[in-house]
Amino acid sequence: MWRDALLVAGKDLRVELRSRVATNQVAPFALVVLVLFAFALDPSRGVLTRATAGLFWVAVLLCSLLAVQRSFAMEAADSARDGLRLSGLDPAGIFLGKAAAVVVQLLVLEALLAAGIVVLYGSHLHGALLLLGSTSTATVGLAAAGTVYGVLAAGLRVRETLLPLLLLPVVAPVLLGATRAWEAALSGTPADGNAWLQLLGVFAVIYVTVGVIAFGPLLEDG
Amino acid sequence: MSITSVRATRALGIATLAAVAATVALGLWVTPPDVVQGDLVRLIYVHPPVAWVAYLAFAVTALASVLYLWPRTRSLAWDRLAGASAEIGVVFTALTLVTGSIWGRPAWGVWWTWDARLTTTALLLVLYLGYLALRRVGGELETRAKRSAIAALVAVVDVPIVHLSVVWWRTLHQSATVLTPSLQPTVHGSMAWTMLLGFCAFTLVYAWLLVHRYRLETLEERLETEGLSLALAERRAEAAEGVLVSPDDADVVIDEPVASR
């Protein structure tokens, strides 16, 4: 299973590296979102600095939609999906691989966004350990839930509109938990964030499990 | 014979009407206004029962989804039940939010507040709106059933997570009045009875709606799967009746009845 996961993740990341969609479109999109928040909220930085955690995670959520969409658009072309089914790879491995590829892309994007909020919003990144911990846990949860819904919506004509409607409410706990953990870290009281870190962990475990179980049947359906 | 014309279903309908009428009568005229809240208190005969039905409906959806996914009990009937129940659940969740809002405006001074209970309920509505949207996508029945059953379970897993996370946030909504931890209701006399009646009445409404929605779902599915074969059989019968059709102008002759309808 793990070998299959590595294979699929490697394939997805190689496709991403070669097509440069992530670097040329998703990353600039993330920056556009950050700048738009600045337009919408406050030119004098006060509100932006206070709302940093929430804005960061909303931006991540929007980008994760694009990443998931992209991850399954790749499989839609040239009946790659049938190839995937015929390849004899373990469905659980395919799920873990695709989710891992999304995690890697999102982590890169989050590093970029973090640099963006420091420069644009003037926030200071305190509590690095909690920031790193909550971000990576939240990203795993986000990618797992996203991959489940990605394959669910993949075969459908209306997937572009259906995916946000299905995915965004389900990942609401990630937004909530990650924002609170970040607020705790940024305000210099990392101890407050531990409960939220646990919530993020629970979410990630549940959705990775759901994905491992449900991915096979959902892939067959296509 | 369809399930909606069975005597039991009719009895259910009559019982539902009677219970709702009794709730209205007791709630509006018999029970006294509250000392503190005045007539506003009458909403408790509607709001908690409606919320209860919403929970019940989603629980039924989750259960039916599990039964569909479990190979031994796999049957499209469970899928129909899940879909019908989710639809009623969405309507009643919306009603919960509306009646709660009507109560909240005079009592709390705001239509809406980001309280744990309210946030969870709003999220429940959005989650299942997504589920219904997924059901509408179409495709083969088995595919749709499997897909939506998994989606329903993913959604229902999310509810307790959200609920816990927002409870830690902050809470304004009053805690349970009837099902208190010590099982000592804090509502008294005719009000308590009316509230209990309200719960029964709305549960009956749910059951009645479910039966009818389920039947409608069955009919729609039959139209989809058998509609074409029925139409084809009709055509063949017509062709066999009289007109001798040569293979070349078959389309012309077969098309005629359609045009004349």
Side-chain angles (χ1 to χ4, degrees), chain B residues 186-199:
Chain B
T186 51
V187 186
H188 296 288
S190 62
M191 291 167 101
W193 287 114
T194 312
M195 215 171 146
L196 186 66
L197 184 67
F199 274 96

Side-chain angles (χ1 to χ4, degrees), chain A residues 135-220:
Chain A
T135 307
S136 44
T137 325
T139 308
V140 170
L142 216 53
T147 309
V148 173
Y149 277 119
V151 69
L152 196 74
L156 308 172
R157 271 175 294 110
V158 288
R159 57 181 172 276
E160 288 85 0
T161 42
L162 192 64
L163 186 66
L165 179 59
L166 289 175
L167 184 57
L168 289 180
V170 168
V171 295
V174 173
L175 178 67
L176 197 63
T179 309
R180 295 288 142 150
W182 267 58
E183 273 174 5
L186 293 183
S187 64
T189 50
D192 297 352
N194 287 336
W196 296 107
L197 188 59
Q198 283 167 20
L199 174 79
L200 291 173
V202 169
F203 186 90
V205 168
I206 289 180
Y207 281 96
V208 169
T209 315
V210 168
V212 165
I213 297 170
F215 198 80
L218 286 175
L219 189 68
E220 298 293 308

